[in-house]
Amino acid sequence: MSADLPSGFWSGWIIVLTLFSLACVAWLVWSLYFGKDIDEHPEVEPVWDGNLQEGHNAPPLWWFWMIFGALVFSLMYMMFFPALGSNAGILNWSHGKRLSDSYENFDANFAGVRAEIVSMSLVEIQNDLDLMDTAERIFRRECSVCHGPEGRGQANLFPNLHDVDWQWGASAEQIEQSIRGGRSANMIAWQAMLGEEGVEQVAEYILTLDVGGDASLPGQAVYQQSCTACHGPDGAGNPLLGAPRLSDDIWLYGGDFETIKASITNGRFGIMPAFGHRLDDVQIKLLIALLVR
Amino acid sequence: MNGLTIHRKIEEHTGLLIFGILIVSAIGGLVQLLPVLNQESLETATSNTRPYTAAQLTGRDIYIREGCSVCHSQQVRPLIAELERYGPYSRAGEFVYDRPFLWGSKRTGPDLHRLGGKYSDDWHRIHLLDPRAVVAESIMPAYPWLDKRSAKETGNITAKFIALRRLGHPYSDEDISGAEAELEGLTEMDALIAYLQVLGTGLSGEDEGAAL
């Protein structure tokens, strides 16, 4: 990685102006201390209003040394670091190099532990309290704003990840897919197709799915016609489509009549963002171990 | 000639004094700013950086109006801790269409530069209306008025587009004539979320390999 430094004319411009102004400061300080003294040449000091004349008090010596020290420091700094135009400096320092050094350092310290995690089974990770602690920290940092601090869901939009109901599947592979690629559920709005009455009928029917579905309800026919393709004939759902089980009492958006009606009327489009590029393989594996049973 | 003679000259000629002060105070800018203004790599847009759409630009103005920068920065620094937390560090070329850029320096809340795509629109909506609804310990203020106001009332979008085009942003005539229509039916909340979702999405893999 080579640094993005100014080049050509502007490099020379920076070098000349910087060194020139340093030289001016050096000359000014020098001439204040070692130049000819006013007392020897009273004629150069102006006299104002006939008799007002500035006396001559040299600035204190510590001030001189401070400026002198600062000058020496800036010269050294410009030699070691990229300060003068396209000159990269003796240390060859750059932001990019510091960053890659940090990552080398990180690898040197953690490559062993990380390789070990990659080779461990999920059960082994689950039995390691330290690793689970780390997994929980990652979860709190990345996931808790939606799924809640303990992953128990919140706001009737973000699912509980600790219940038995998995919209997109409970296996390690399916959970990995949910985290890496994200999920985007798509249930269209049914209002236009079913009408207000149809929606109410099918909502009523859905509420009976937990006891097998009341076939005497008018909603049954609607359900069989429009909903089974995704939610299954008995409401068991379909993890391939992210269609939730409707025959239990676990609801993402809510299981009361009004909310179910709203789900059907307006459709639902839950989005779980993809984390494949935000988290690395080790972090994702730890999260899977945290969530899978 | 020694320092004292020059000193005397300068003290006696105000014009000379003013000139000298100007030169001295300009040196910093001449060395630091002028070369950077002419450094091409800093003003070339990264490959996925696009001029803001009408909704995004309006969202940006709402972001400025509500003072979000008071608590949020928009610059990921090139330090390992920041890369691990937020994603790739910010490049100069990602801000070419920001006038002014909103880098900020205060982080009461997290940096927002790599926010685009991190959360869903739904999450942002809930969070902006009431941060405590999703982050129990949040100290961020609520912005309940955002979804009551129409995005069209947030300034004259056509005039903004024309002004930006004059500054070199590549808006076409159709962009400008269609700007007003794009805001049709959007609330300020929608516009702000459109802006938040495009933050930090201007980088491609190719840019990430570029030198620092």
Side-chain angles (χ1 to χ4, degrees):
Chain A
M1 231 190 248
S2 79
D4 184 16
L5 295 168
S7 61
F9 170 77
W10 290 112
S11 171
W13 168 268
I14 293 175
I15 296 176
V16 169
L17 270 188
T18 309
L19 294 181
F20 175 71
S21 31
L22 274 185
C24 287
V25 174
W27 172 77
L28 180 69
V29 175
W30 185 86
S31 73
L32 271 180
Y33 281 91
F34 305 112
K36 292 182 190 130
D37 203 324
I38 248 177
D39 299 337
E40 298 157 30
H41 295 270
E43 75 279 1
V44 300
E45 180 65 18
V47 179
W48 311 98
D49 277 350
N51 61 356
L52 259 181
Q53 196 174 13
E54 275 178 37
H56 181 239
N57 272 328
L61 209 57
W62 64 260
W63 190 83
F64 169 76
W65 285 113
M66 198 177 70
I67 302 266
F68 181 76
L71 276 174
V72 173
F73 175 83
S74 27
L75 283 173
M76 305 269 281
Y77 188 90
M78 285 188 288
M79 268 161 60
F80 284 105
F81 290 95
L84 287 177
S86 57
N87 182 354
I90 294 177
L91 295 180
N92 213 2
W93 186 97
S94 75
H95 279 290
K97 191 156 166 299
R98 181 178 59 182
L99 194 56
S100 53
D101 285 350
S102 308
Y103 271 105
E104 269 166 35
N105 196 2
F106 175 80
D107 278 345
N109 284 317
F110 297 106
V113 193
R114 288 162 64 85
E116 203 180 312
I117 296 175
V118 171
S119 69
M120 285 167 88
S121 74
L122 291 174
V123 176
E124 280 168 338
I125 295 178
Q126 286 171 335
N127 289 332
D128 185 325
L129 289 182
D130 280 347
L131 288 183
M132 290 314 276
D133 223 37
T134 309
E136 261 169 44
R137 262 205 312 278
I138 301 173
F139 188 89
R140 272 200 302 275
R141 192 186 73 190
E142 302 287 340
C143 324
S144 65
V145 296
C146 288
H147 292 287
E150 262 128 44
R152 304 219 166 268
Q154 60 182 2
N156 281 336
L157 273 185
F158 309 111
N160 183 341
L161 300 177
H162 293 302
D163 57 18
V164 293
D165 202 9
W166 290 84
Q167 227 174 307
W168 298 91
S171 73
E173 291 73 31
Q174 286 163 317
I175 293 177
E176 175 162 6
Q177 183 61 43
S178 294
I179 299 175
R180 255 185 218 287
R183 298 289 193 186
S184 101
N186 189 345
M187 181 172 86
I188 55 161
W190 292 98
Q191 166 85 351
M193 233 167 298
L194 304 179
E196 173 105 31
E197 200 190 339
V199 169
E200 283 189 5
Q201 289 173 346
V202 75
E204 225 169 291
Y205 175 71
I206 284 180
L207 281 172
T208 68
L209 277 174
D210 55 341
V211 290
D214 184 347
S216 67
L217 286 173
Q220 198 233 9
V222 185
Y223 184 87
Q224 293 304 336
Q225 199 194 350
S226 304
C227 320
T228 47
C230 297
H231 292 285
D234 51 358
N238 181 348
L240 282 178
L241 301 165
R245 178 185 287 274
L246 300 177
S247 55
D248 55 16
D249 57 0
I250 297 174
W251 298 89
L252 174 51
Y253 297 101
D256 57 292
F257 183 74
E258 285 308 318
T259 314
I260 290 180
K261 225 177 85 183
S263 293
I264 304 170
T265 308
N266 309 319
R268 291 291 189 186
F269 311 91
I271 287 177
M272 154 82 195
F275 278 85
H277 59 290
R278 283 190 192 270
L279 302 175
D280 63 33
D281 293 351
V282 173
Q283 292 170 318
I284 290 180
K285 187 160 184 186
L286 288 173
L287 284 174
I288 298 171
L290 183 70
L291 296 178
V292 80
R293 255 162 307 239
Chain B
M1 191 147 75
N2 75 19
L4 289 168
T5 7
I6 297 186
H7 186 207
R8 172 169 188 169
K9 265 223 170 61
I10 293 178
E11 270 198 345
E12 283 175 343
H13 300 86
T14 332
L16 213 57
L17 185 65
I18 292 176
F19 182 68
I21 290 175
L22 283 181
I23 293 279
V24 170
S25 45
I27 291 277
L30 291 176
V31 171
Q32 292 255 0
L33 298 181
L34 209 54
V36 169
L37 290 179
N38 286 282
Q39 200 169 345
E40 217 173 292
S41 64
L42 298 185
E43 53 184 55
T44 312
T46 52
S47 28
N48 296 331
T49 301
R50 304 274 174 275
Y52 291 110
T53 64
Q56 291 159 1
L57 191 69
T58 304
R60 206 183 105 91
D61 287 341
I62 296 166
Y63 186 97
I64 296 172
R65 183 192 75 201
E66 300 296 350
C68 309
S69 334
V70 171
C71 295
H72 293 287
S73 60
Q74 285 189 17
Q75 50 164 337
V76 182
R77 295 172 296 174
L79 301 168
I80 184 169
E82 302 227 339
L83 266 71
E84 287 301 306
R85 177 164 178 191
Y86 299 120
Y89 59 84
S90 307
R91 317 294 153 110
E94 296 181 77
F95 300 96
V96 292
Y97 300 124
D98 274 28
R99 285 178 199 270
F101 57 76
L102 301 173
W103 295 342
S105 57
K106 180 74 173 75
R107 284 183 180 166
T108 302
D111 186 88
L112 297 183
H113 188 214
R114 296 282 172 226
L115 184 70
K118 185 177 180 191
Y119 302 130
S120 54
D121 292 1
D122 282 341
W123 185 84
H124 283 301
R125 194 158 280 121
I126 300 177
H127 184 247
L128 287 166
L129 290 177
D130 176 16
R132 260 68 55 196
V134 277
V135 183
E137 69 279 12
S138 178
I139 56 162
M140 175 163 143
Y143 296 88
W145 51 87
L146 290 179
D147 72 346
K148 299 195 176 72
R149 290 197 208 163
S150 150
K152 279 177 113 170
E153 285 153 35
T154 319
N156 181 341
I157 188 67
T158 313
K160 287 183 206 167
F161 266 34
I162 292 173
L164 287 175
R165 179 155 81 171
R166 226 167 263 161
L167 292 169
H169 294 208
Y171 289 120
S172 66
D173 291 337
E174 294 82 65
D175 288 339
I176 293 177
S177 57
E180 187 89 33
E182 195 196 318
L183 296 184
E184 201 59 61
L186 296 186
T187 60
E188 287 193 343
M189 175 70 88
D190 298 325
L192 180 56
I193 293 176
Y195 170 65
L196 295 177
Q197 293 291 24
V198 80
L199 277 178
T201 57
L203 215 55
S204 72
E206 183 190 326
D207 303 314
E208 285 196 48
L212 180 68

